[in-house]
Amino acid sequence: MKIKSYYLCSNCGYRSARWQGRCPSCDAWNSFVENVEKETSKSKGSLVTNESPILISKIEKVESHRIKTAINEFDRVLGGGIVSGSVILLGGDPGIGKSTILLQVSGKFKAGECLYVSGEESKQQISLRFNRLFDNNFDNNFDNKNDIEIYTETNLEAVLDALSKKSYQFVVIDSIQSIYSSQIDSLPGSILQIKECAFRLTEFAKSNNTAILLVGHITKEGSLAGPKVLEHIVDVVLQFEGDKNHTYRILRTLKNRFGSTNEIGIFDMKEKGLFEVTNPNEIFLSHIENLPGVVVSSSIEGTRPILVEVQALVTNSSYSYPQRNSNGFEMKRLQLILAVLEKKLGLNFSNRDVFINITGGLRVDDPAIDLAVALSIISSYTDIAIPNKTIVMGEIGLTGEVRAISQIDNRISEAQKLGFDSVIAPKSSKKNITNKKINQILVNTLNEAFSTIFK
């Protein structure tokens, strides 16, 4: 038996033969930790298998079985339900509601079908939360109470032994950072422990057709803690996010081998748990007013359009370097739009602070709201409100052109349902607009939009 010593970066998993002060991969300081690995000798023929190449047309087609949880927003994000034998990784900030939603999902299974493994909480803590979520007086869509089995253990071998004694449909591991293997000389939460435990749990899930969900911790940068290979091992990576100042939570897909990565699920955090938000547009636009600096746009999240309120504030700056602040919208994208406005419209922002806010705690990455951000900035700059009941959508290019966007007909139809009677959109998308009942203001450039709206 050989003993091999090397160093691993605890931030990104970079491997080095010697200790280094700064990681050459992620530039993190003092992140290298020594790891000792025992290597056993293998015979030359140990890797030989009986598998042979096969034509893809000869492979037998197998339909993947999906388990419905009856929580529609959760099932939507997974692509229609939990796939048997899949491994799901769920990450999120502390206190965001990961354990809450998992207990609600676990409560949808019949007794004996689900096992909740916790290495961070006691049985009493889990029981108190479970009884609060599934109280008999609880009047919502999570009121079908079923007993779930709880196992508070951190040793991987003990967990696998418990899983092998009974056939479970769904297993929750809370969290992967708290599980350790006694076969590895390393502390729980280290790179080696996380990688080995995740690999062996994945191996068990595939061989026994058991769906396993791993809860992962989040670093201060907002990424999943542990080696990057952890995200490659699992089948699905979910991110549970939200603003602590708001009650809304968004379940977002970062990776999905069984469905789309564009779907999101929206929940409302209340005293009795997480409630599904079936119509987010009515909630996020409930307090909208036609004021300077306020523009409504439409963002496509998965298969459904979500209307968002964009607020802008442009004020005189008292600093030599004006402030640029963005909440829910990418800062680099904001700087690009400001540069285009200065170049093409002659607006001067060198002595003005610019603030952008997407209301409701949402974070929007859809470039279709570029035009709404630009017009909200112009509206605040000129102190002139855009026409009432008007929705704005379009992507802005570096030359000031308003570019075509996808699924524009769905966006317009959703806006019309909520009472909007006019739309400002790219002229290049005209051929994709079949809805003729709404007033269309089609523009090619920012100059055209500016002269049309602000005269």
Side-chain angles (χ1 to χ4, degrees):
M1 180 182 294
K2 297 179 180 179
I3 298 178
K4 186 178 181 181
S5 176
Y6 55 91
Y7 294 85
L8 279 178
C9 174
S10 58
N11 187 46
C12 68
Y14 181 83
R15 184 167 173 167
S16 174
R18 59 185 180 84
W19 184 88
Q20 299 186 55
R22 183 178 183 180
C23 176
S25 176
C26 64
D27 295 330
W29 288 94
N30 298 323
S31 60
F32 278 94
V33 179
E34 184 179 10
N35 285 274
V36 179
E37 187 179 68
K38 297 178 181 179
E39 295 183 342
T40 57
S41 59
K42 297 180 180 180
S43 60
K44 293 182 179 180
S46 60
L47 299 178
V48 178
T49 64
N50 294 325
E51 290 286 339
S52 59
I54 186 173
L55 292 172
I56 195 169
S57 58
K58 300 291 177 98
I59 300 175
E60 183 182 356
K61 295 181 181 179
V62 179
E63 292 291 334
S64 59
H65 173 65
R66 290 186 181 269
I67 306 168
K68 301 287 186 178
T69 65
I71 302 177
N72 295 328
E73 293 296 298
F74 188 81
D75 291 340
R76 176 206 296 272
V77 172
L78 293 174
I82 302 171
V83 177
S84 298
S86 65
V87 180
I88 305 167
L89 177 63
L90 174 64
D93 293 330
I96 204 70
K98 299 187 297 297
S99 299
T100 300
I101 192 173
L102 291 181
L103 277 177
Q104 292 179 181
V105 170
S106 301
K108 289 299 181 180
F109 290 85
K110 295 179 181 179
E113 293 181 347
C114 176
L115 177 64
Y116 193 98
V117 181
S118 177
E120 300 180 347
E121 294 180 294
S122 65
K123 294 183 177 70
Q124 289 74 22
Q125 288 176 306
I126 301 172
S127 176
L128 285 173
R129 184 187 291 114
F130 187 79
N131 290 328
R132 173 174 59 85
L133 295 175
F134 293 94
D135 190 359
N136 292 330
N137 299 322
F138 188 23
D139 185 18
N140 75 349
N141 56 348
F142 298 124
D143 56 358
N144 295 325
K145 180 175 179 179
N146 291 308
D147 281 340
I148 63 172
E149 295 187 25
I150 300 173
Y151 188 36
T152 54
E153 180 59 63
T154 57
N155 182 265
L156 177 65
E157 286 72 27
V159 172
L160 292 175
D161 182 61
L163 294 180
S164 61
K165 291 179 180 178
K166 193 172 182 180
S167 179
Y168 295 100
Q169 285 190 6
F170 185 58
V171 177
V172 175
I173 306 293
D174 188 11
S175 65
I176 187 62
Q177 276 80 11
S178 64
I179 302 295
Y180 74 95
S181 172
S182 56
Q183 299 177 4
I184 299 177
D185 297 330
S186 183
L187 293 174
S190 63
I191 299 290
L192 276 178
Q193 287 285 5
I194 294 175
K195 186 168 66 173
E196 177 67 18
C197 293
F199 179 78
R200 292 177 62 183
L201 286 169
T202 302
E203 194 176 39
F204 179 88
K206 302 300 180 185
S207 59
N208 294 273
N209 204 32
T210 301
I212 296 180
L213 192 147
L214 310 175
V215 178
H217 292 171
I218 293 293
T219 63
K220 61 180 180 181
E221 289 81 15
S223 58
L224 284 162
K228 195 68 178 176
V229 72
L230 176 62
E231 298 179 38
H232 293 281
I233 292 174
V234 301
D235 300 307
V236 182
V237 179
L238 302 179
Q239 181 85 3
F240 206 40
E241 58 189 38
D243 190 344
K244 291 185 178 180
N245 298 320
H246 296 83
T247 60
Y248 300 111
R249 302 289 185 265
I250 295 178
L251 186 63
R252 194 182 300 273
T253 316
L254 303 182
K255 172 189 175 181
N256 192 352
R257 287 174 177 162
F258 311 109
S260 172
T261 57
N262 297 320
E263 293 288 357
I264 66 168
I266 303 178
F267 299 87
D268 188 6
M269 174 68 84
K270 296 183 179 180
E271 182 182 357
K272 292 289 187 177
L274 288 160
F275 288 74
E276 296 179 66
V277 178
T278 56
N279 192 355
N281 292 327
E282 292 183 353
I283 295 176
F284 295 139
L285 299 179
S286 58
H287 305 292
I288 188 171
E289 296 183 21
N290 189 35
L291 298 171
V294 177
V295 178
V296 177
S297 186
S298 178
S299 171
I300 292 291
E301 298 291 347
T303 57
R304 61 182 177 183
I306 295 180
L307 271 61
V308 295
E309 180 184 348
V310 182
Q311 294 181 343
L313 178 63
V314 181
T315 62
N316 292 326
S317 177
S318 57
Y319 302 96
S320 58
Y321 187 79
Q323 298 183 70
R324 304 286 185 259
N325 200 335
S326 176
N327 184 25
F329 187 72
E330 187 182 3
M331 178 62 71
K332 291 183 179 179
R333 198 74 184 170
L334 172 61
Q335 293 173 340
L336 182 148
I337 292 173
L338 291 176
V340 174
L341 290 176
E342 286 191 339
K343 179 72 174 179
K344 299 301 177 182
L345 299 183
L347 302 179
N348 182 21
F349 296 100
S350 61
N351 59 347
R352 286 177 170 84
D353 297 330
V354 179
F355 304 92
I356 293 292
N357 178 45
I358 307 296
T359 61
L362 289 174
R363 177 177 59 84
V364 181
D365 299 322
D366 191 351
I369 73 165
D370 284 356
L371 185 58
V373 172
L375 292 185
S376 66
I377 293 172
I378 298 173
S379 175
S380 179
Y381 186 97
T382 59
D383 204 27
I384 300 174
I386 70 166
N388 195 21
K389 297 296 181 180
T390 300
I391 188 168
V392 180
M393 56 189 78
E395 181 183 355
I396 296 177
L398 290 177
T399 59
E401 80 277 13
V402 181
R403 303 175 65 88
I405 58 176
S406 63
Q407 304 187 44
I408 189 169
D409 223 23
N410 293 339
R411 302 174 197 255
I412 292 176
S413 298
E414 187 65 28
Q416 197 174 28
K417 292 177 185 176
L418 295 175
F420 289 87
D421 53 26
S422 298
V423 58
I424 303 173
K427 189 173 289 186
S428 54
S429 296
K430 182 178 181 180
K431 60 182 180 181
N432 297 323
I433 302 176
T434 60
N435 191 330
K436 305 300 181 183
K437 297 180 181 179
I438 194 168
N439 180 35
Q440 301 175 19
I441 305 173
L442 305 179
V443 296
N444 279 322
T445 63
L446 261 177
N447 280 293
E448 192 175 340
F450 177 76
S451 59
T452 303
I453 303 303
F454 301 99
K455 306 301 180 185

